[in-house]
Amino acid sequence: MIRLRGIIPAIGAEALLTVLLARLVGTPVGWAVLIALPMALVLLLLLSTPAGVEPSWSAPPTEPSAAAHLEASTLASRLDDAAADQGRFRNRVQPRLATLALARLRGRPGLADLPDLRDRRAETALGPDFHRVLTDPAAPLPEPDTLLAMLNRLEEP
């Protein structure tokens, strides 16, 4: 609803000011009113806009995108290939898992200076099975449930 209480005085003041200025330069009163009318209508339009047109700076909720689904699908197919082919696991998956694990371990208290996963502290933090999966070239890709449990260990403090 239009807030007439503040709009009418503002439009009246604008129209009066326009008429006075037009009269100062010698414009007839009729023309001064015609000049003030469009400006008063623009002012009415601006003042009658709802208050909710200000931008909302809160982040919109994130929804899974097509790219995320494609990424998950690609990852699933790479893990499937790696389970069947030890070379793919050793060359494609294992280095990425090791990089992820090292980055997560370095974020833990006391492990920021961890040079690599061969450090004894890394083996202690990861557990012997997960450490072997990440560092041993002969280690096979574990079953999905086992791999998930191992990856969940990275989330622990």
Side-chain angles (χ1 to χ4, degrees), residues 41-67:
L41 291 176
V42 168
L43 182 64
L44 174 66
L45 181 66
L46 289 174
L47 292 175
S48 65
T49 56
V53 295
E54 295 179 10
S56 171
W57 296 108
S58 63
T62 56
E63 296 179 15
S65 64

Side-chain angles (χ1 to χ4, degrees), residues 71 74-79 81-82 87-105 117 126 130 133-135 141 147 151 154:
E71 232 176 271
T74 303
L75 177 61
S77 67
R78 285 192 180 177
L79 288 173
D81 291 344
R88 285 183 187 260
F89 173 67
R90 185 176 52 251
N91 295 327
R92 289 186 176 181
V93 177
Q94 196 177 35
R96 289 185 174 110
L97 286 176
T99 302
L100 170 71
L102 185 60
R104 295 296 295 177
L105 288 177
L117 291 177
L126 294 171
F130 192 25
V133 167
L134 297 174
T135 58
L141 179 67
L147 180 62
L151 291 172
L154 292 175

